[in-house]
Amino acid sequence: MDKVIVITGGSRGIGAATALLAARQGYKICINYLADDAAAHEVLEQVRALGALAISVRADVSNEDEVISLFLRVDQELGPVTALVNNAGTVGHKSRLEEMSEFRVLHTLKTNVLGPILCAKHAVLRMSPRYGGQGGNIVNVSSVAARLGSPGEYVDYAASKGALDAFTIGLSKELAGEGIRVNAVRPGYIFTDFHALSGDPGRVSKLESMIPMGRGGRPEEVAEAIVWLLSDKASYATGTFVDMAGGR
Ligand code: NAP
């Protein structure tokens, strides 16, 4: 069976590193993104240069109509999805709870919780033997914020990742008898452009002294854990969390 991977938020950071690693491991690849056409195109060219059949698809993961269109494109151009990486995520500016608007909190929850739930739903409709599928794998990209809480910075983001962890546990049990494994990685401070969203692009470098290993992580290090969890080498792992946080 062909390995077909959908990576949400695959145009930058951890998602892009995952796309490049998956290309080296023989996956057909769908790079999803929200807005940055140029970044998505660049990653698309890189994975194609590695010999992978690949497409890039703009879709907001928090909008079900767009998620439906995304998976239909994958069906038509790559074949049914066998691996989903729920990686797209967002965070608001560093602030205390009292300063957070309803819009900001809803945007965070919609992107980080509703998005992965919708994408998992449409992947399961293709993976589960109930609907003619042959099993598959889902990896959710959570955060160590789920267990640290991010006080004074973005408790809404931490709460969204806590919800994603609960979803990972529940869905893993729901699907364990259907040949679908569901796991999560929880990165710590990783060098990507994500931190610009919180208003501090240099955040990881500034905080390195607080990390037990004394350095921030690279997106490629997180990608290794994601691709391992998707692989048969992790065949008995479901409902599992791999923290990639340098000891935090
Ligand atoms: P990043 O560099 O900011 O990339 C985010 C990606 O998500 C981009 O491709 C972006 O597309 C896409 N995206 C955002 N909202 C989307 C939506 N509604 N629909 C579809 N795509 C959307 O982020 P990253 O650092 O690689 O983070 C990836 C994941 O790791 C996130 O879930 C994040 O919470 C988690 N994480 C990151 C860190 C860290 O230190 N970097 C730590 C812990 C957890 P556009 O560019 O087109 O908008």
Side-chain angles (χ1 to χ4, degrees), residues 8-15 32-37 39 59-62 86-90 107 111-112 141-144 157 161 186-195 197 204:
T8 70
S11 61
R12 294 195 284 113
I14 293 167
N32 157 257
Y33 65 104
L34 179 63
D36 190 340
D37 298 317
D60 181 346
V61 294
S62 67
N86 270 321
N87 166 77
T90 195
H107 179 64
T111 306
N112 297 358
V141 182
S142 176
S143 169
V144 289
Y157 172 80
K161 294 301 188 179
R186 287 192 295 215
Y189 294 131
I190 309 298
F191 288 104
T192 73
D193 293 339
F194 189 72
H195 305 282
L197 297 171
V204 178

Side-chain angles (χ1 to χ4, degrees), residues 2 7 21 24-25 29 32 34 39 50 69 80 92 97 100-101 128 141 148 156 193 196 198 201 213 222 232 234 245:
D2 281 346
I7 305 167
L21 188 56
R24 292 189 186 93
Q25 306 217 350
I29 300 170
N32 157 257
L34 179 63
L50 290 167
S69 300
L97 173 66
M100 292 180 192
S101 67
S128 172
V141 182
L148 299 175
D156 57 339
D193 293 339
S198 74
M213 283 179 69
V222 182
D232 289 343

